[in-house]
Amino acid sequence: MFTNTFTETFGIEHPIVCGGMTAVGTADLISAVANAGALGFLTALTQPTPEALVKEIARCRDLTDKPFGVNLTILPTIQPVPYDEYRDAIVDSGIRIVETAGGNPGPHLPAFRAAGVKVIHKAVSVRHALKAQQLGVDAVSIDGFECAGHPGEDDVPGLVLIPAAARALSIPIIASGGIATGAGLVAALALGASAVNMGTRFMATTEAPIHHNVKQQIVDNTERDTVIVFREFHNSARVARNSVSEEIATLSREPGATFDDIAHLASGARGREQVYGNGDVEGGMWWAGQAQGLIHDIGSCEEVVGSILTEARQIITRTLPDQITR
């Protein structure tokens, strides 16, 4: 239905991406995304070891014969992460598309290039996207301020960031942040992107490996139900609004506050166990973007992708042409 530089470069049927999401990007979801004709990314660091990642890749292949990729997020951690070993596990497993995020992907690009792996790098600003292009990545996923996760410190929304990036870059751009509908896909294409990335929308699917209560909370929430946390520590993150995230924001604003003061509340393990596992949406901090206000049902990945494509086609072929004076 839609063919462009993104679909042709990456061999994907539809210009829709489910980027890496910690604890959510497992074979259960990513195989369903792939079977729907979109591009999904397993999250490497969701798996406790490189060996476990190899098994998860194999499990995903058992569930789909369509292309999928692996996300490798490079961040400073208290406990050292064997990034080289995860990278080698990705290459040795025959993965052909990788999404990098966080730190500089440069040290890993030679190994990926040698193995014929195409790399998409996630960026939150035009300057970072340009640096990634200079390093030789094949595409950039550009995150507007609306996105879940880490939107950076510039607070530039997608309506400005996407066309600014499109003007500056010569490689395909994937628009990310605040997108959950066919209208969002059409808008992103009009602004110069070649595809869209959706995280929160794919969390509210039947195949997402999180508790139904979380999916229903996303449906019930509005675009106002997010909170920016960690801003005082220059690591801004957009998460779902609940009592925990509001407490984190309040404590962080106290004079002299440090991350240690809120670490027990921001624990990823707590969010995964209490929220995603047990379904207590007030049990910990969890990730969601402003696109919550655009999500009104829980459907399968096939249904979500299909409805987005149908809406996008109708907008392009009927709604917009009807507004042109002949």
Side-chain angles (χ1 to χ4, degrees):
M1 188 179 294
F2 292 91
T3 301
N4 58 32
T5 55
F6 170 80
T7 59
E8 293 171 351
T9 299
F10 294 94
I12 304 301
E13 188 175 353
H14 308 305
I16 297 173
V17 177
C18 174
M21 292 186 284
T22 301
V24 182
T26 66
D28 311 270
L29 174 61
I30 301 312
S31 62
V33 170
N35 286 331
L39 174 60
F41 288 93
L42 297 172
T43 43
L45 301 188
T46 291
Q47 303 305 317
T49 65
E51 293 75 19
L53 174 60
V54 171
K55 293 179 181 178
E56 191 69 3
I57 291 171
R59 188 166 79 93
C60 199
R61 286 203 174 109
D62 286 339
L63 297 171
T64 184
D65 59 0
K66 293 188 177 182
F68 64 90
V70 175
N71 166 282
L72 183 63
T73 297
I74 307 157
L75 293 171
T77 57
I78 297 174
Q79 298 295 328
V81 174
Y83 290 112
D84 290 357
E85 294 178 27
Y86 276 100
R87 179 199 66 214
D88 293 343
I90 292 168
V91 170
D92 293 344
S93 295
I95 291 294
R96 289 292 175 262
I97 307 172
V98 164
E99 177 189 64
T100 56
N104 185 348
H108 301 283
L109 291 181
F112 285 139
R113 284 199 200 97
V117 176
K118 288 183 170 61
V119 176
I120 299 170
H121 185 66
K122 291 177 70 70
V124 296
S125 68
V126 175
R127 64 185 184 279
H128 293 152
L130 280 169
K131 177 62 176 179
Q133 178 176 269
Q134 291 166 3
L135 290 171
V137 304
D138 299 278
V140 166
S141 182
I142 194 86
D143 285 352
F145 186 54
E146 306 93 333
C147 72
H150 297 279
E153 309 301 316
D154 296 336
D155 300 358
V156 181
L159 196 60
V160 173
L161 187 60
I162 297 163
R167 180 181 177 87
L169 299 170
S170 59
I171 56 178
I173 297 167
I174 302 164
S176 180
I179 298 169
T181 64
L185 172 58
V186 173
L189 296 176
L191 292 172
S194 298
V196 294
N197 173 60
M198 303 187 303
T200 307
R201 172 67 271 199
F202 279 119
M203 288 176 68
T205 57
T206 55
E207 298 93 345
I210 57 178
H211 200 282
H212 177 80
N213 291 357
V214 181
K215 303 174 188 183
Q216 188 60 50
Q217 190 64 52
I218 291 171
V219 172
D220 294 342
N221 280 350
T222 74
E223 67 280 0
R224 298 180 65 248
D225 289 311
T226 69
V227 176
I228 296 292
V229 296
F230 309 155
R231 169 135 294 188
E232 293 78 7
F233 314 121
H234 306 291
N235 189 28
S236 296
R238 186 181 297 281
V239 299
R241 183 184 298 278
N242 64 6
S243 57
V244 175
S245 60
E246 289 184 328
E247 185 176 358
I248 290 172
T250 298
L251 291 175
S252 299
R253 288 192 292 266
E254 294 290 332
T258 69
F259 188 81
D260 289 342
D261 297 321
I262 50 92
H264 63 293
L265 297 169
S267 166
R270 173 176 172 173
R272 289 190 293 274
E273 179 181 346
Q274 298 301 322
V275 183
Y276 293 162
N278 296 337
D280 179 3
V281 296
E282 297 291 329
M285 188 187 81
W286 54 283
W287 306 89
Q290 292 181 323
Q292 288 179 116
L294 305 175
I295 300 168
H296 307 298
D297 57 54
I298 301 167
S300 68
C301 289
E302 183 177 3
E303 289 169 338
V304 167
V305 170
S307 65
I308 287 172
L309 293 171
T310 298
E311 181 187 0
R313 183 179 180 86
Q314 180 171 339
I315 291 170
I316 292 172
T317 61
R318 298 180 186 176
T319 306
L320 294 179
D322 285 348
Q323 298 184 42
I324 298 173
T325 302
R326 293 175 175 85

